[in-house]
Amino acid sequence: MFIERDVNSHKKQGSIEVVTGSMFSGKTEELIRRLKRAKFAKQKVEIFKPAIDVRYSQTEVVSHDENAIRSTPVDNSSNILMLSADVAVVGIDEAQFFDKGLVDVVVKLANMGIRVIVAGLDMDFKGAPFGPMPGIMAVADHVTKVHAICVRCGSIAQFSHRFSEKEQVVLLGEKDVYEPLCRNCYLKTQKEPLPPDSYRDSPKGR
Ligand code: ZN
């Protein structure tokens, strides 16, 4: 279990924290919560997001509940290193859209004594590990998986199902394009045979 450390107890001790899960799981809200607490502690915080993610705002990390915090859009993970001199905490949102070089970047930042907090999707809409996220989760000190609620049955959801037929992995969008689903409901959308047991208690219909 992740326990937020006392910011004054380990001066200049770097670390890597990951907050991950499906769409609508509250990843960005949790990232913002941790970053705001660092700011309350008067720590210098820098927040980055991929330049590709311009759904709402060019310069703010915006979660679905409009709890915004200023951020810098960057094209390339190496830019984060250049822009992080003399900061205490680096936040990275939508990390799945960055290049795989982000794994080395977060390690370098942590080795420089920086607390790095990374938020991103663990899986793409096909259920495959997404971009640099599996590598970052491997090198992280702490990984927090947050979950959405399945819109079809109310179970805990970890899949981001896309209704759109488009094949590209990067398709930005919101509730018009994606829905959070549990494993059973997700598998039904994939038209793959389920093991017999999983049908037993599921409600009829969807
Ligand atoms: Zn479900």
Side-chain angles (χ1 to χ4, degrees), residues 150-155 181-186:
C150 177
V151 293
R152 299 196 181 182
C153 77
S155 297
L181 295 180
C182 72
R183 186 180 299 276
N184 281 354
C185 293
Y186 179 76

Side-chain angles (χ1 to χ4, degrees), residues 32-140:
I32 289 172
R33 189 188 73 83
R34 294 186 193 180
L35 293 173
K36 282 190 168 169
R37 288 162 65 87
K39 283 190 167 183
F40 292 147
K42 307 254 186 293
Q43 297 194 308
K44 188 162 183 215
V45 174
E46 287 288 347
I47 305 141
F48 303 98
K49 67 176 184 180
I52 187 176
D53 186 38
V54 290
R55 275 175 295 184
Y56 312 93
S57 162
Q58 287 282 3
T59 57
E60 292 188 326
V61 172
V62 183
S63 64
H64 303 295
D65 66 1
E66 296 177 1
N67 189 1
I69 190 164
R70 290 196 64 77
S71 74
T72 306
V74 289
D75 292 321
N76 191 299
S77 63
S78 56
N79 294 349
I80 296 175
L81 265 184
M82 292 189 298
L83 296 167
S84 297
D86 76 290
V87 301
V89 182
V90 166
I92 302 169
D93 196 27
E94 302 289 357
Q96 76 279 354
F97 290 140
F98 276 105
D99 54 279
K100 295 208 168 149
L102 187 61
V103 182
D104 283 338
V105 167
V106 298
V107 170
K108 281 181 184 155
L109 291 169
N111 291 349
M112 288 157 59
I114 295 171
R115 179 186 177 196
V116 187
I117 312 172
V118 179
L121 289 168
D122 48 2
M123 291 182 276
D124 65 20
F125 73 102
K126 292 179 169 172
F130 206 151
M133 290 303 290
I136 296 170
M137 288 162 75
V139 298

Side-chain angles (χ1 to χ4, degrees), residues 24 163-164 172-178:
F24 315 109
F163 334 120
S164 169
L172 295 175
E174 285 306 314
K175 293 200 162 120
D176 54 329
V177 188
Y178 297 98

Side-chain angles (χ1 to χ4, degrees), residues 136-174:
I136 296 170
M137 288 162 75
V139 298
D141 301 62
H142 301 282
V143 176
T144 304
K145 275 222 185 191
V146 286
H147 296 89
I149 297 297
C150 177
V151 293
R152 299 196 181 182
C153 77
S155 297
I156 295 293
Q158 71 268 50
F159 293 95
S160 307
H161 176 238
R162 184 197 287 181
F163 334 120
S164 169
E165 296 299 310
K166 289 181 186 140
E167 271 296 301
Q168 81 221 61
V169 174
V170 177
L171 180 65
L172 295 175
E174 285 306 314

